[in-house]
Amino acid sequence: MKPRLIILSDLWGRKKSGWIDYYTKELQDHFELKCYDSCELGEIDTSTYTEKNLHKQFTNGGIDRAIQNLLKLEKGKIHILAFSIGGVIGWKSAIKNPNVLSLYAVSSTRLRYETNKPKTKIELYFGENDMYSPKSKWYDMMDIDFIIEKGKEHQLYIEPKFAVQLSNRIINSIIIRK
């Protein structure tokens, strides 16, 4: 039986997530995949589809709703691959769900506000030029692994080359080193 890997979108949700196909193409042969739209999980109103509006809704209760909805949907053992706001949803869900076996979060800059961490394997990825990524003091305090991608911005995860590299790393970490 294949391990279960869930993918959590960034704040744009399904409407602007064609890039997720880069990951599913690489991962589908190795995992039972389920992709979640973070907007749907957080019950976000996307009628005003701007970054500012979506972000405001997530920070004003949407993240918490998304966590509760994800906890209801996923009861078994899972691995999480999450992007931007999805990383915070995955992180906080993993704190409450002992069945989260690993968390791979990319450009999840809101993690810089977290003071508790899940008791699971965690790998964080940030672009070197993402001005909102956590500072080194936070990584030290959390005692956490992270990778800084040189010359990259916040949306490094939409690049096909990065998607292939990260997917291969996840496959190697979960399937091959099992």
Side-chain angles (χ1 to χ4, degrees):
M1 183 178 205
K2 293 179 185 178
R4 186 160 171 78
L5 175 68
I6 67 166
I7 299 175
L8 302 174
S9 78
D10 61 7
L11 96 158
W12 296 107
R14 199 174 320 279
K15 288 183 184 178
K16 287 188 179 180
S17 65
W19 52 268
I20 286 179
D21 292 346
Y22 303 140
Y23 295 89
T24 58
K25 179 182 174 203
E26 298 296 321
L27 298 166
Q28 65 189 354
D29 291 340
H30 304 278
F31 296 95
E32 177 188 331
L33 293 178
K34 173 69 178 172
C35 296
Y36 288 102
D37 178 324
S38 292
C39 291
E40 290 175 7
L41 284 174
E43 301 169 22
I44 303 299
D45 176 3
T46 58
S47 60
T48 303
Y49 197 62
T50 65
E51 184 174 5
K52 184 177 180 180
N53 181 53
L54 297 175
H55 187 265
K56 182 178 178 184
Q57 289 183 72
F58 272 112
T59 58
N60 289 324
I63 292 171
D64 292 334
R65 284 189 302 275
I67 294 162
Q68 292 309 311
N69 287 329
L70 185 60
L71 290 170
K72 288 176 193 170
L73 291 165
E74 294 294 339
K75 303 284 188 201
K77 294 190 181 305
I78 58 170
H79 300 273
I80 298 175
L81 170 58
F83 304 93
S84 196
I85 202 80
V88 175
I89 296 165
W91 177 283
K92 290 184 174 203
S93 295
I95 289 173
K96 295 179 178 191
N97 180 357
N99 287 320
V100 175
L101 303 173
S102 63
L103 170 66
Y104 299 85
V106 185
S107 298
S108 297
T109 56
R110 293 200 64 78
L111 291 178
R112 70 189 184 276
Y113 300 120
E114 297 302 311
T115 55
N116 295 316
K117 75 175 185 179
K119 292 179 174 141
T120 192
K121 175 185 168 45
I122 300 167
E123 285 188 17
L124 303 180
Y125 298 82
F126 294 96
E128 178 183 42
N129 300 325
D130 189 339
M131 68 178 128
Y132 296 111
S133 64
K135 304 300 177 218
S136 58
K137 181 179 175 182
W138 182 84
Y139 296 115
D140 293 341
M141 178 186 78
M142 299 303 275
D143 187 29
I144 203 157
D145 289 333
F146 65 97
I147 296 171
I148 302 296
E149 296 288 330
K150 296 238 183 275
K152 299 297 181 183
E153 306 287 332
H154 181 76
Q155 285 196 314
L156 69 114
Y157 53 87
I158 69 171
E159 298 174 13
K161 184 178 176 184
F162 178 81
V164 170
Q165 290 171 341
L166 179 55
S167 296
N168 286 330
R169 185 176 175 107
I170 292 169
I171 292 164
N172 188 47
S173 179
I174 296 171
I175 305 296
I176 297 173
R177 291 190 189 156
K178 200 173 185 183

